[in-house]
Amino acid sequence: MNNLNALIFDVDGTLADTERDGHRVAFNSAFSAAGLDWEWSVELYGKLLAVTGGKERIRFYLDKFFEEKNKKFDRPADLDGFIAELHQSKTRFYIEMLSKGAIPLRLGVKRLLQEARDQGLRLAIATTTTPQNVSALLEHALAPDAMSWFEVVAAGDIVPAKKPAADIFEYALQQLKLEPESCLAFEDSQNGILSSRGAGLETIVAVNDYTREHDFSGALLVLDHYGEPELPFTVLDGTLVENMGEHRYLDLALLQELFTECAPA
Ligand code: XBP
Ligand code: MG
């Protein structure tokens, strides 16, 4: 049987609740700074999250939602360049928010990462977001040296096809030089688990307000959050829901038990 060697984390929605009060707000700031009267409401943004990647999301908005609202927008000849520039502005606004400490890590994340690190597990990131967003979040919300906690940071356009394609998790595995059978993935969304499972990874999910109703078929566990000793999680679903025993928060002991349970004999 394989040993558990590495934990591979998604970022947005998993390490921190970044979408509603982070990315969405930064997109709106960039639109406004560019003189565009576009406003992504909390509700509309939930629909736009169907597409991962900020540049891809802007294009999706133009293709699918813009015309429904009867808005007029004369597309520039260089639409790719226009979107790329708008997105760079969005990234600057987002990083500015992070550098003010606007977005904390989710419950239990710091404790779990710290414990994994202390016990010598290898850590990696597999995310659709822009690499600078990852370092800004980790350095401000986790620790100034947090980037060094992660052996591999697979992010953004490093692979051509974003989640739900498996490419970003496959890339992280290649960089780690590990087989999926010796790792666990951590996700928060349907696109995320399609990607991690597509790469052959057993996956633990912690939902958020945007993803609670997603289909998490195949997840080992679906939790409301990772929990803390004084703030237990609620187990919502998962193939190992019966194996929870006395565990009330996600720690390395529970991860090892789940990993042993799901490992091929
Ligand atoms: C995250 C995303 C990202 C962010 C925006 O998905 O979809 O697009 O919303 O980041 P996941 P950028 O958590 O599944 O990786 O604007 O930097 O692309
Ligand atoms: Mg996510």
Side-chain angles (χ1 to χ4, degrees):
M1 201 191 83
N2 289 305
N3 287 324
L4 176 58
N5 280 317
L7 309 181
I8 310 179
F9 288 86
D10 168 49
V11 174
D12 295 302
T14 297
L15 296 184
D17 260 326
T18 51
E19 294 291 7
R20 192 191 69 183
D21 300 331
H23 290 293
R24 185 186 68 88
V25 173
F27 278 112
N28 284 332
S29 299
F31 300 154
S32 167
L36 299 163
D37 65 345
W38 308 352
E39 171 79 30
W40 288 0
S41 67
V42 170
E43 194 199 346
L44 171 62
Y45 195 66
K47 296 180 185 154
L48 296 173
L49 283 172
V51 169
T52 62
K55 294 187 286 295
E56 293 82 350
R57 191 166 299 143
I58 294 171
R59 185 179 289 275
F60 180 57
Y61 172 65
L62 286 173
D63 290 345
K64 291 270 164 25
F65 288 90
F66 213 80
E67 276 146 34
E68 282 175 20
K69 301 255 176 226
N70 277 329
K71 285 191 164 214
K72 274 194 77 64
F73 175 62
D74 292 324
R75 295 185 179 212
D78 179 14
L79 186 61
D80 285 350
F82 170 79
I83 290 175
E85 208 172 298
L86 199 52
H87 186 254
Q88 277 166 18
S89 163
K90 176 260 169 179
T91 299
R92 287 193 292 274
F93 280 111
Y94 181 65
I95 287 177
E96 195 183 318
M97 291 170 73
L98 292 176
S99 65
K100 290 181 184 146
I103 302 181
L105 297 180
R106 290 190 69 183
L107 193 72
V109 166
K110 186 168 187 173
R111 174 187 48 72
L112 183 63
L113 290 173
Q114 186 76 61
E115 194 186 355
R117 196 165 126 86
D118 292 347
Q119 298 200 17
L121 274 189
R122 298 167 69 189
L123 296 173
I125 296 276
T127 176
T128 352
T129 205
T130 305
Q132 300 97 290
N133 296 350
V134 181
S135 43
L137 176 73
L138 293 177
E139 283 162 13
H140 290 98
L142 180 57
D145 70 338
M147 284 304 277
S148 69
W149 295 26
F150 295 87
E151 195 177 320
V152 172
V153 176
D157 298 325
I158 202 159
V159 291
K162 293 186 178 169
K163 299 175 190 177
D167 304 30
I168 197 75
F169 279 100
E170 285 171 349
Y171 179 87
L173 287 167
Q174 277 163 18
Q175 295 294 307
L176 288 165
K177 298 193 173 54
L178 287 174
E179 296 300 319
E181 293 76 19
S182 69
C183 307
L184 288 173
F186 296 80
E187 269 292 352
D188 72 299
S189 70
Q190 186 172 1
N191 280 330
I193 193 171
L194 286 170
S195 176
S196 59
R197 299 281 294 143
L201 287 152
E202 296 291 355
T203 304
I204 292 168
V205 170
V207 301
N208 56 61
D209 286 347
Y210 274 134
T211 67
R212 209 167 294 274
E213 306 302 326
H214 286 190
D215 179 356
F216 292 115
S217 303
L220 294 182
L221 274 188
V222 182
L223 306 168
D224 57 346
H225 52 70
Y226 296 161
E228 289 286 8
E230 304 305 320
L231 291 164
F233 55 44
T234 300
V235 183
L236 305 172
D237 206 349
T239 55
L240 294 186
V241 98
E242 305 301 325
N243 295 69
M244 294 308 294
E246 295 299 304
H247 293 282
R248 294 292 173 264
Y249 59 96
L250 196 66
D251 61 0
L252 261 278
L254 175 55
L255 287 185
Q256 288 289 357
E257 279 180 39
L258 297 173
F259 182 77
T260 308
E261 201 60 42
C262 72

